[in-house]
Amino acid sequence: MKIAIDSYCYHRYFGEVYPNLEQAPDHQMSLDDFVARARAHGVQGVSIESFMLDDSSPQNLERLRGLLDAAQLELVWAWGHPHGLGSGARPDELADLIRNVDIAKALGAEVMRICAGGRLTRPESWDEHKSKLVPLLREAAAYAADQGIVLAMENHVDLLAAEVLELLDAVNSPALGVCLDTANNLRMFEDPMLAIEMLAPHAKATHIKDICAFRGSPREFGFWPSVPLGEGLIDIPRTLQLLRSHGFNGLLALEIDYLHPAHGTEEEAIAKSLAFMRSVLADHRSATHA
């Protein structure tokens, strides 16, 4: 398993600021800046959000791939934030998903995270939800398989853990697995460790994220802010142990979305989180060799 950063940790610097929760920063970042930050943090990989790419020309993709190769950073390409396929209600987005499979391939990624929906797109009927999604996911997985790419569908506050497994079973393709977000199912009032135990065997990518309860309504996003790893409600050491036990050898991509205001800057939270992850992995190695 390789320690990594998801570019969404810097979402404010790419123009996505949560209304009434965050303030816009005094400057913007480019993907070149993000790669430089990742190098400075000494990680082994990055997950890059597709909405942060402002130039998908072949020349720019070749340049970005060269930058990642020079930094020796493994890549997961990430498509679909915030609404993805709209929980099946946005079939027109399939074309953009497929376009991004080609981008992932051009950048040298072997895994592409996708969102089937988001926290605002989930319909009331699971039967309707599933029936609309499955054909789209089948077509996407078939195309990805032809390109040598594995799609990793995130539990994106749109799917309960058992529903994710139902979709995987219905599509039944080795080109479709899971991007395991460690915190999102708590935001849906599921036991987070039970969700992690269910999804870890199918993980092809991860968002390693910790959250806590804050203020307001637990049905609102702002109630569940991100905190540095090890300081919230998610059992990160147990999560990493489960991933290892199921043979996961991909990127442990730190993700911070809305950062709890008591926990400083993004850079401070990232540094604390990466130090915690390194410590946990070192403990696991020591226990293995004891």
Side-chain angles (χ1 to χ4, degrees), residues 43-284:
V43 297
Q44 296 168 281
V46 291
S47 176
I48 294 180
E49 300 283 339
S50 63
F51 77 86
M52 297 176 178
L53 179 71
D54 56 11
D55 178 0
S56 60
S57 67
Q59 297 81 2
N60 190 53
L61 296 180
E62 183 179 359
R63 187 195 64 79
L64 181 55
R65 179 169 183 171
L67 192 66
L68 293 167
D69 289 346
Q72 297 184 303
L73 291 170
E74 185 175 323
L75 172 68
V76 166
W77 190 243
W79 173 86
H81 178 82
H83 303 304
L85 295 171
S87 300
R90 299 181 181 186
D92 53 306
E93 291 297 328
L94 180 61
D96 194 55
L97 189 164
I98 286 173
R99 183 180 71 87
N100 273 271
V101 170
D102 294 336
I103 291 173
K105 185 176 181 179
L107 291 172
E110 296 180 358
V111 176
M112 183 173 104
R113 182 275 253 154
I114 65 170
C115 296
R119 61 189 176 87
L120 301 179
T121 67
R122 179 183 171 90
E124 290 186 12
S125 166
W126 168 239
D127 287 340
E128 174 191 354
H129 190 169
K130 180 180 176 181
S131 67
K132 288 184 176 180
L133 265 182
V134 168
L136 302 177
L137 294 172
R138 282 183 178 147
E139 187 172 343
Y143 185 82
D146 287 344
Q147 303 305 312
I149 302 290
V150 173
L151 302 180
M153 179 176 59
E154 183 178 346
N155 49 319
H156 199 227
V157 202
D158 60 325
L159 294 166
L160 300 172
E163 293 169 346
V164 173
L165 297 184
E166 277 194 50
L167 292 173
L168 293 183
D169 185 61
V171 175
N172 190 27
S173 169
L176 182 65
V178 171
C179 175
L180 171 59
D181 186 296
T182 57
N184 279 346
N185 282 62
L186 176 54
R187 289 167 166 164
M188 297 181 74
F189 309 123
E190 276 200 293
D191 179 333
M193 290 314 300
L194 179 58
I196 290 166
E197 288 172 4
M198 293 171 68
L199 299 180
H202 307 278
K204 304 299 181 183
T206 65
H207 281 166
I208 306 300
K209 181 163 65 193
D210 206 350
I211 62 175
C212 72
F214 187 28
R215 62 189 177 195
S217 167
R219 298 189 180 279
E220 298 295 329
F221 178 73
F223 184 87
W224 301 105
S226 292
V227 296
L229 298 184
E231 299 186 26
L233 298 170
I234 309 301
D235 188 341
I236 300 298
R238 173 65 177 152
T239 297
L240 301 190
Q241 184 181 56
L242 281 166
L243 286 165
R244 183 189 296 277
S245 71
H246 288 293
F248 179 75
N249 61 0
L251 298 187
L252 299 171
L254 170 68
E255 187 190 38
I256 294 170
D257 42 36
Y258 161 48
L259 179 61
H260 191 298
H263 286 274
T265 66
E266 289 95 345
E267 284 299 314
E268 291 168 333
I270 289 168
K272 282 184 181 180
S273 296
L274 295 178
F276 182 81
M277 226 186 324
R278 290 184 176 111
S279 175
V280 170
L281 292 179
D283 288 344
H284 285 182

